[in-house]
Amino acid sequence: MRRIFISRGHIIGYAAFALAILVVPLFIDDPYLLNKLARYLIFGILAAALALSWGYTGILNLGQAVSFGLGSYCMAMTLKLHTIPIQTGAAGLPDFMVWNNVKSLPWFWEPFHSTAFAVVAGVAFPVVVALLLGWFVFRARVTGVYVSIITLAMLVVVNLVIVDQQRFTGGFNGLTDLADLKLFGIDFDPYSGATYYLIALSLLATLMIGEFVVRSKTGLIMQAIRDDETRVRYFGYDVARYQIFAFCVSAGLSGFAGMLYAMVMAFASPTFLSVQISLSIVIWCAVGGRESLIGSALGAILVTGIQGGLSETPAFLNTWMLIMGALFVAVVLFLPKGLISIVQLGMARLAGKKISALAEDEAPLPRGHKLGIG
Amino acid sequence: MSLLELKGVEVQFSGFRALRGFDLSVAAGELRCLIGPNGAGKTTALDVICGKAQVNGGDIIFAGQNISHFEEHRIARLGIGRKFQVPSVFRELTVKENLHVAFCRRAGVFANLGISAAKANADELEKLAELVGLKESFRREAGILSHGQTQWLEIAMLVAQDAQLLLLDEPTAGMTAAETRKTAELCKQLKGRHTMLVVEHDMGFIKEIGDVISVMHQGRLLAQGTVAEIESDPEVRKAYLGSGGIRGA
Ligand SMILES: Nc1ncnc2c1ncn2[C@@H]1O[C@H](COP(=O)(O)OP(=O)(O)OP(=O)(O)O)[C@@H](O)[C@H]1O
Ligand SMILES: [Mg+2]
């Protein structure tokens, strides 16, 4: 197996992060808080996924909420079918279908009786959608801001379809009153430690998958594409394939995040496929450092954490959005590589002192630091 | 037998004919210089070979295959490497990473997933950096290299690519006299191992490295021969009139 860590600092960083998110539940006995933290970690997965496509490959996907939303609906559908039918007819139809005069379960709902199918679909469906879209966009050599516009348009269309097809999707309300996921004899109650750990491990797995990709030669070529897409072609690489690959991996991880989100929220709704979520992910990456997977994930946790804290503190009730805006602008202006660049610089300084010890680890110097400090 | 053959190649840019029935034949192992006044179509000729410009007529045969309508990456994989007039390397990647990207042995996404970006072929890549005098900058970002170093890096990248045919567009542009000499040395080292097609303006450089020279004018092949033959050719003199003669071009 190839190495995925590039330096001792890299390993230490990850170990500290893993430890931090794994011990947190030991100090929290408020299930609501635990549920909230679990949500922040899911946003971390989303941000790391965007770092793969945007930070490493230069594809600013503004339609990432499509993958997230589709994943959440896949999970919600199976959880809905596992509820004990209260308001349903004899056919065991989900309640909203009964209200909408649907007589029998639509064919595409049938397989969601199987949890395993739903879990696979929650990743596979977003990947297939990304594959199709990516095929058209990247084969046609669409680049830069046009990719963002097309992905954004896609998001709006999918959102409209889901809202419009109320009979099958629950429309505006989405799929509510879901059962808990039960897997391997574990009941994943949204407020339980089990769910939190499932999500924390998922985030760590996401980061490892991401590091595996970006530390490979494929990851290197992705970065070269970000730098100068046309130049890469003249070395013999089919650029579109690499772009589609990054786009799909990102979509798969986002779909997985969506499944987890449906679990912790106990519903799925069109708000999961909103422009607002897509833009938030961009902000998390920009704040944390889009060229770092762990940086982006930390950005998401930090921003949503502060946001949650401020918006629930009476003193900041009217000003928290202003504060968040100011934070964002400050980071983008003074730390173009995000907050993680401070950490990287610190580590590079430390490593510089014992460069010989680290020589074989070849910790690369952080790139292009334009720090407004020190 | 010639490795590369262009037969009556036409290239148009929205009506303007940049190449007008351009013919060229380069034998395997040869170092061919391509000269011509500004706007003669030299860069376009290289562009059309590597797939950057569309062929509007004629044929391009490389190693017995008609590559006229191949996509860029397929042409590259057949063994054609390109150095651009404006040096283009990956500025945010290190010298080592640049060379590693160029070192394309397997082009597939999944094949490359198993290869470590940091470890694989490190020794070979370092030797290449040494060849062009960039050993000191091996782990530095390419964006901080000087103009001359960037040109050398791009040449080293073509060598890493191990292209059979190297297309070099003005490899000494913007270089000091000392740097130009170093580049000539480099070209001589590569001569024989690679077939080269070099676009140049610097006659001193051409005399140093070149055997046969092809002269282009208004999208056509105007003359071909040794430096002495070219310099005494009345057609060539006429073509260069107004641009200060062949030496000043
Ligand atoms: N993409 C393009 N669109 C339109 N015209 C172009 C394009 N590329 C080149 N041309 C025109 O084609 C002609 C040949 O250009 P080319 O760059 O091949 O010349 P060159 O011989 O390389 O000149 P130089 O010595 O200045 O590099 C010029 O008149 C140029 O203006
Ligand atoms: Mg030119």
Side-chain angles (χ1 to χ4, degrees):
Chain A
M1 183 79 167
R2 244 189 43 230
R3 288 205 325 181
I4 55 175
F5 297 107
I6 48 169
S7 66
R8 209 163 291 174
H10 201 221
I11 296 176
I12 295 170
Y14 266 107
F17 178 72
L19 193 67
I21 64 171
L22 291 178
V23 300
V24 151
L26 305 181
F27 302 100
I28 291 177
D29 49 357
D30 175 0
Y32 290 93
L33 185 57
L34 197 62
N35 175 276
K36 204 156 64 177
L37 291 179
R39 261 160 47 207
Y40 299 161
L41 298 190
I42 295 174
F43 296 144
I45 299 179
L46 277 179
L50 184 66
L52 266 180
S53 73
W54 183 33
Y56 280 91
T57 325
I59 304 165
L60 178 51
N61 178 5
L62 291 184
Q64 209 188 337
V66 170
S67 313
F68 183 63
L70 293 179
S72 71
Y73 271 85
C74 285
M75 178 55 84
M77 282 161 83
T78 192
L79 295 185
K80 187 77 194 167
L81 291 179
H82 285 92
T83 49
I84 299 147
I86 304 170
Q87 316 207 30
T88 56
L93 276 183
D95 48 11
F96 72 90
M97 289 191 190
V98 177
W99 304 332
N100 283 292
N101 286 324
V102 176
K103 296 290 175 236
S104 64
L105 198 64
W107 61 268
F108 61 88
W109 269 77
E110 280 302 342
F112 285 90
H113 280 295
S114 152
T115 307
F117 176 87
V119 170
V120 172
V123 173
F125 189 32
V127 168
V128 170
V129 170
L131 189 70
L132 290 175
L133 185 68
W135 185 267
F136 285 111
V137 169
F138 299 119
R139 282 275 146 217
R141 299 196 178 177
V142 177
T143 56
V145 68
Y146 298 101
V147 177
S148 306
I149 293 170
I150 291 171
T151 50
L152 190 62
M154 165 96 170
L155 171 61
V156 173
V157 169
V158 175
N159 186 303
L160 283 177
V161 169
I162 288 183
V163 171
D164 182 64
Q165 295 298 312
Q166 188 173 349
R167 296 173 342 126
F168 308 122
T169 63
F172 271 118
N173 298 326
L175 306 175
T176 53
D177 297 320
L178 306 181
D180 292 351
L181 177 70
K182 290 193 185 63
L183 218 54
F184 312 119
I186 305 171
D187 182 342
F188 289 99
D189 179 304
Y191 297 94
S192 68
T195 301
Y196 178 90
Y197 277 113
L198 174 68
I199 289 165
L201 291 176
S202 300
L203 172 56
L204 293 176
T206 297
L207 293 171
M208 291 306 104
I209 292 170
E211 291 290 348
F212 178 79
V213 172
V214 303
R215 304 301 161 204
S216 72
K217 186 159 180 188
T218 299
L220 190 60
I221 294 159
M222 280 158 52
Q223 294 170 64
I225 290 171
R226 173 193 69 201
D227 222 356
D228 187 347
E229 177 181 328
T230 36
R231 188 70 186 95
V232 176
R233 296 204 173 94
Y234 300 105
F235 291 116
Y237 302 103
D238 189 346
V239 167
R241 284 180 187 237
Y242 283 83
Q243 289 170 317
I244 293 169
F245 172 75
F247 199 58
C248 286
V249 173
S250 180
L253 294 172
S254 304
F256 195 76
M259 288 200 281
L260 298 173
Y261 203 63
M263 284 170 58
V264 291
M265 300 300 279
F267 73 92
S269 91
T271 56
F272 294 3
L273 293 97
S274 65
V275 174
Q276 201 193 339
I277 291 221
S278 267
L279 293 182
S280 298
I281 307 171
V282 173
I283 291 176
W284 302 333
C285 283
V287 169
R290 66 188 155 108
E291 287 171 26
S292 161
L293 297 167
I294 193 168
S296 296
L298 281 169
I301 297 167
L302 201 72
V303 170
T304 50
I306 296 177
Q307 209 166 330
L310 286 181
S311 62
E312 284 165 18
T313 310
F316 296 113
L317 215 50
N318 299 314
T319 52
W320 71 269
M321 280 176 80
L322 208 64
I323 297 174
M324 292 311 298
L327 173 77
F328 175 60
V329 172
V331 170
V332 170
L333 277 182
F334 297 112
L335 292 168
K337 306 265 171 181
L339 292 171
I340 196 72
S341 58
I342 298 178
V343 180
Q344 286 168 339
L345 196 69
M347 292 226 174
R349 289 253 167 92
L350 278 180
K353 283 185 188 149
K354 36 182 178 169
I355 201 98
S356 52
L358 278 170
E360 49 111 32
D361 274 350
E362 60 174 270
L365 296 169
R367 294 150 198 246
H369 275 280
K370 294 185 205 82
L371 289 176
I373 50 164
Chain B
M1 220 204 80
S2 54
L3 178 67
L4 174 75
E5 189 143 10
L6 279 72
K7 295 182 199 156
V9 173
E10 294 276 334
V11 173
Q12 293 192 9
F13 296 115
S14 47
F16 173 75
R17 291 172 69 202
L19 292 189
R20 314 173 185 205
F22 180 57
D23 297 304
L24 188 73
S25 170
V26 182
E30 191 182 344
L31 193 163
R32 176 71 60 89
C33 290
L34 188 60
I35 65 169
N38 289 108
K42 306 179 294 292
T43 297
T44 308
L46 298 194
D47 282 351
V48 81
I49 297 168
C50 71
K52 190 170 181 232
Q54 290 290 316
V55 181
N56 294 114
D59 288 311
I60 304 172
I61 316 289
F62 176 73
Q65 240 185 109
N66 191 335
I67 58 167
S68 315
H69 298 286
F70 280 19
E71 273 191 282
E72 298 96 317
H73 65 268
R74 282 191 65 196
I75 296 176
R77 270 184 233 169
L78 285 177
I80 298 183
R82 171 76 188 271
K83 195 200 98 46
F84 290 88
Q85 188 164 356
V86 179
S88 36
V89 301
F90 306 108
R91 301 177 58 81
E92 286 180 31
L93 304 187
T94 63
V95 167
K96 179 191 175 188
E97 289 169 334
N98 268 280
L99 291 169
H100 199 181
V101 171
F103 189 88
C104 177
R105 295 298 173 271
R106 295 194 280 174
V109 175
F110 295 101
N112 283 324
L113 261 185
I115 300 175
S116 160
K119 293 276 161 187
N121 310 104
D123 297 339
E124 271 166 285
L125 301 179
E126 193 155 3
K127 276 203 198 90
L128 276 172
E130 206 172 348
L131 174 75
V132 294
L134 288 175
K135 202 176 170 209
E136 306 294 298
S137 314
F138 194 51
R139 298 195 197 291
R140 299 246 167 80
E141 257 176 80
I144 61 164
L145 296 180
S146 74
H147 181 78
Q149 287 175 319
T150 312
Q151 302 259 41
W152 291 327
L153 173 57
E154 203 177 358
I155 294 174
M157 286 163 80
L158 300 197
V159 179
Q161 187 184 347
D162 199 24
Q164 195 178 357
L165 172 67
L166 310 185
L167 307 172
L168 308 183
D169 201 349
E170 309 207 9
T172 72
M175 283 188 172
T176 63
E179 287 174 331
T180 302
R181 233 172 294 126
K182 205 171 147 187
T183 309
E185 277 308 310
L186 190 59
C187 284
K188 277 195 223 159
Q189 278 186 49
L190 299 179
K191 199 169 166 175
R193 266 192 286 166
H194 305 267
T195 308
M196 299 204 267
L197 181 56
V198 184
V199 170
E200 249 314 324
H201 279 298
D202 188 322
M203 281 311 283
F205 179 80
I206 290 170
K207 279 180 187 161
E208 176 119 18
I209 64 162
D211 320 318
V212 180
I213 299 173
S214 301
V215 186
M216 278 187 86
H217 184 49
Q218 293 179 345
R220 280 197 195 86
L221 184 67
L222 183 70
Q224 194 158 295
T226 62
V227 176
E229 285 165 5
I230 292 300
E231 278 180 334
S232 59
D233 190 313
E235 288 283 329
V236 176
R237 281 162 178 263
K238 216 162 71 191
Y240 271 95
L241 266 186
S243 62
I246 191 165
R247 283 168 192 287

